[in-house]
Amino acid sequence: MAYQSLYRRYRSQNFAEIKGQSHVTKALQTAVAEGRHSHAYLFSGPRGTGKTSTARVLAKALNCENLTDGEPCGVCKSCVDIQNGTSFDLHELDAASNNKVDDIRELIGKVALGSPGRTKVYILDEVHMLTSGAENALLKTLEEPPEHVVFVLATTEPHKVVPTIRSRTQHFEFNLLPGDDLDQHLRYVIADAGLDIDEEGIEYALRQGGGSARDTLSALDLVAAAGGVPKGSDIGVELALAIGDGDAPGTIAAVERAIEAGREPRIIGETTVETLRNAFLASMGAPLTQLSETARKASTELADKLGPATITRSLEMLGQALVDMRQAPDQRVPLEVALLRLSRRDGADTAGLLQRIEQLEAQIAALAAGGVAAAPSTAPSGPAPQPAPTAPVPEAPAATRSATPAAPPPPSGAPPPPARRSAPAPTSPPASGGPADLARANLAETLNASAASAPASPSDATATPAPAATPPAAAPTPAPPPAPTPAAAAPSGTTKPFSIGTLTAALDAGLLDSVSQRARVRFAAASPTAADDGAGTATFAVPNNYYLPRCEDVRPEIETALLQHFGRAVTVIIEVDDNAPKAVRPPAADQPAAAPPPTPEIDDEDIGDINELETATNIAGSGIERLTQAFPGSQVIESFDSPL
């Protein structure tokens, strides 16, 4: 006797042998036992889940001579003939190849003919392949067939079956078989057939079957014939692990080995996607009933290793690679490029960033578990802060505060000139030694030095000089303030306080006088908007993009001037602000707005004798008058009341 495939040899012969479809077999068995079976059924579901086998068992039950509780006996002549494929009570038709109107008409012509048994059963496999005309030709007979006829329609794509056919049938949906049921069935087949297959072969067959009994038995048949698992069968797991490890060369090498073993790039991609999908379901806590216990454990371990972000991004990129393979001249290229991007963590998309974050979190958790301090060092990155000063605000020479070279320094030990302020003096002396007090003192000295270096106007010469300011009495030493930042605690003799107020005051006092005229003219359009003491940056705003490159061109000179004035490196940042005023800087926080220059008095001698003034020439007010004056002798022929 010729060898018979395992899926044909171990085809279910009664309702009890049908695996994983109890919701279908229970209903059919009860309907047959009570004589309430339908005239037409529609079986739908994935391939290899028992649709045709269930239809044949139903035909046995409807014609069995020794029916017991709806279960066929399997030994009577009708059951044996149906099992051997020689019964006149069972007709199987492949609707994929017999899908024309003439084929259906021929079937309808035979429906009314009698048969040896009680019921004639017609099985139409892949019924969704019928043409529109064939479907319409079948409708009337399917709705009202002869009493001895039962139709069983089987399909893997029920959505393609027209509603007019579905409404005339009882629809049963078949599911993929659970992994535990398939595992038991495989072990029974191996023991009954006397096959020598190890655990690795069983796991391979279950993985290849994916819940389909026919595919699983076919894979088991392949393992038995080959004497073991084929090479490259675990390519999906190997590529998924390489992605998780970031092993870019390993992914390319694994693909090359699989291709040399005879696997196509599309099959490699689909296998990897299936492996990643199982890991994704495991990470989401979904039940993996189609997998065996070993496969479920492996998927859970893979999900813990990769993480949801990596799995999601891998599924997206490999799915797109499978789509791109349709138009690619070499199908390996889209697959290899996608694997390289996944293993190298390339890309700035959200999934890629989440993938990198998960990797860093895993590394930190591993370091913490190993006893290595994962927290960042508590040592400050900048210079150590100096202790907070407790003495009154130190006085610095005015010459070091002023940017005007012509200003002479005051005598040694003399108090600084008073600052012209519009706000009243505070009623209580501020606490000395803090960053804010240092900034106020330096700002006042800068303003005083600027006022001393300014040329005296006639009105100033006659004005009564302001009395010298008496330095305030030293306040009692307060409690030590919080530790200031390094920049604020620097000695005033070497580094000046840096803030938006001191920066604005320095600019108004002539800070840019030391730069070239080109830099001074171009940077006049920039207005200071922010000053970061800790970062050492000064931000300027320009009105539009026209001034941006011009100011960037002279930025090094401005930074040099700031370095010379403040005694520290300051980085200039130039931004475009449409609302920024052009060539106008806001006044300092502690400085009142500059008063407008006095209007000069005009003497009669500057005007001269008014009798010598001549009457000005009459200027034409309209365009026509100007034309007639430009062309003497011309004459206006026609005039319009309103301009064109």
Side-chain angles (χ1 to χ4, degrees):
M1 181 178 178
Y3 178 78
Q4 195 174 25
S5 300
L6 292 178
Y7 77 87
R8 295 181 58 191
R9 180 178 172 184
Y10 291 93
R11 185 187 290 271
S12 303
Q13 300 301 328
N14 52 51
F15 289 121
E17 294 179 359
I18 298 175
K19 305 295 182 182
Q21 312 297 341
S22 59
H23 63 290
V24 177
T25 57
K26 181 68 174 178
L28 294 177
Q29 187 175 351
T30 303
V32 172
E34 298 179 359
R36 294 187 293 103
H37 62 83
S38 177
H39 66 280
Y41 294 95
L42 176 62
F43 293 167
S44 66
R47 66 181 187 274
T49 53
K51 297 184 294 296
T52 305
S53 298
T54 303
R56 292 182 179 181
V57 173
L58 177 62
K60 281 185 181 182
L62 292 175
N63 293 280
C64 181
E65 300 174 0
N66 303 314
L67 190 67
T68 304
D69 295 333
E71 190 75 83
C73 64
V75 295
C76 65
K77 186 177 184 306
S78 176
C79 292
V80 172
D81 289 344
I82 291 177
Q83 181 174 345
N84 296 331
T86 59
S87 175
F88 291 98
D89 298 327
L90 177 63
H91 300 272
E92 295 188 33
L93 183 67
D94 181 18
S97 57
N98 300 275
N99 57 358
K100 299 180 177 59
V101 177
D102 295 338
D103 300 327
I104 299 301
R105 286 176 178 174
E106 184 179 356
L107 182 148
I108 294 174
K110 298 178 181 179
V111 166
L113 300 178
S115 61
R118 295 189 303 270
T119 307
K120 182 186 289 187
V121 179
Y122 285 91
I123 301 177
L124 273 69
D125 202 3
E126 303 298 335
V127 69
H128 66 275
M129 299 293 290
L130 291 176
T131 62
S132 178
E135 291 173 341
N136 294 329
L138 182 63
L139 287 179
K140 186 60 178 178
T141 304
L142 187 64
E143 183 179 8
E144 297 179 358
E147 295 182 358
H148 65 283
V149 174
V150 172
F151 284 96
V152 179
L153 313 180
T155 178
T156 56
E157 301 182 42
H159 59 279
K160 293 185 178 180
V161 180
V162 294
T164 52
I165 289 182
R166 290 203 305 266
S167 63
R168 289 167 168 81
T169 62
Q170 283 189 10
H171 188 189
F172 288 98
E173 296 179 341
F174 286 67
N175 305 324
L176 291 172
L177 276 67
D180 296 337
D181 293 351
L182 277 178
D183 188 18
Q184 296 177 3
H185 186 55
L186 282 186
R187 297 182 186 277
Y188 162 75
V189 170
I190 292 172
D192 186 74
L195 303 177
D196 185 14
I197 298 178
D198 55 4
E199 292 294 331
E200 184 182 3
I202 295 176
E203 288 298 327
Y204 169 77
L206 291 174
R207 185 169 63 250
Q208 292 296 113
S212 170
R214 182 170 64 241
D215 292 355
T216 304
L217 291 176
S218 297
L220 186 67
D221 218 346
L222 175 62
V223 173
V229 177
K231 292 178 57 178
S233 59
D234 57 347
I235 181 63
V237 178
E238 186 176 358
L239 288 177
L241 291 175
I243 292 173
D245 295 334
D247 185 8
T251 58
I252 303 302
V255 171
E256 188 64 25
R257 288 194 301 268
I259 292 177
E260 291 177 356
R263 289 181 171 267
E264 297 181 359
R266 174 169 290 277
I267 301 300
I268 297 174
E270 291 176 352
T271 304
T272 308
V273 168
E274 182 180 1
T275 303
L276 291 170
R277 179 180 177 273
N278 292 334
F280 176 76
L281 294 178
S283 66
M284 296 293 106
L288 301 175
T289 56
Q290 286 75 32
L291 302 181
S292 63
E293 183 63 29
T294 304
R296 286 196 291 267
K297 185 182 298 183
S299 297
T300 303
E301 294 176 355
L302 183 60
D304 295 338
K305 180 178 180 60
L306 297 182
T310 301
I311 297 175
T312 304
R313 184 167 182 254
S314 302
L315 288 172
E316 291 178 350
M317 296 191 67
L318 289 176
Q320 185 60 41
L322 291 175
V323 175
D324 296 340
M325 285 182 185
R326 301 174 184 175
Q327 304 296 333
D330 188 351
Q331 293 187 349
R332 294 176 298 181
V333 174
L335 177 63
E336 292 172 346
V337 170
L339 291 173
L340 278 177
R341 289 179 176 175
L342 290 172
S343 57
R344 294 176 59 183
R345 274 79 170 173
D346 289 346
D349 54 326
T350 303
L353 296 177
L354 289 175
Q355 180 180 357
R356 300 176 193 174
I357 292 173
E358 283 188 352
Q359 184 186 14
L360 293 175
E361 290 177 346
Q363 293 177 357
I364 294 175
L367 292 175
V372 181
S377 175
T378 57
S381 58
Q386 302 293 332
T390 58
V393 179
E395 296 180 357
T400 61
R401 302 296 181 183
S402 175
T404 306
S412 175
R420 287 179 289 184
R421 299 169 55 91
S422 59
T427 56
S428 59
S432 61
D437 299 319
L438 291 175
R440 293 191 185 96
N442 293 328
L443 177 60
E445 294 177 4
T446 303
L447 296 176
N448 296 337
S450 175
S453 60
S457 61
S459 58
D460 293 339
T462 58
T464 303
T470 303
T477 303
T485 59
S492 60
T494 57
T495 303
K496 298 181 181 179
F498 181 69
S499 64
I500 185 61
T502 58
L503 176 61
T504 305
L507 291 172
D508 293 340
L511 173 64
L512 301 183
D513 293 345
S514 60
V515 301
S516 63
Q517 182 179 2
R518 172 172 168 268
R520 188 165 57 253
V521 172
R522 291 192 174 187
F523 216 76
S527 301
T529 58
D532 191 342
D533 186 22
T537 59
T539 305
F540 290 81
V542 293
N544 50 51
N545 289 323
Y546 169 76
Y547 295 97
L548 185 61
R550 297 170 60 86
C551 293
E552 286 286 351
D553 191 21
V554 298
R555 182 168 54 86
E557 296 188 42
I558 307 302
E559 293 178 347
T560 302
L562 293 175
L563 173 62
Q564 295 175 354
H565 180 78
F566 290 100
R568 56 174 297 176
V570 178
T571 302
V572 175
I573 301 174
I574 304 174
E575 299 178 347
V576 177
D577 186 1
D578 296 338
N579 298 323
K582 177 180 177 183
V584 176
R585 302 188 183 93
D590 296 336
Q591 181 183 9
T599 304
E601 297 181 359
I602 302 177
D603 195 0
D604 294 341
E605 296 180 357
D606 298 334
I607 300 177
D609 188 4
I610 60 175
N611 296 324
E612 297 179 359
L613 298 178
E614 297 180 359
T615 303
T617 306
N618 185 22
I619 300 176
S622 64
I624 297 178
E625 294 178 357
R626 289 196 295 271
L627 287 175
T628 54
Q629 291 181 2
F631 298 96
S634 59
Q635 182 180 1
V636 179
I637 300 176
E638 184 177 1
S639 176
F640 298 93
D641 295 337
S642 60
L644 294 178

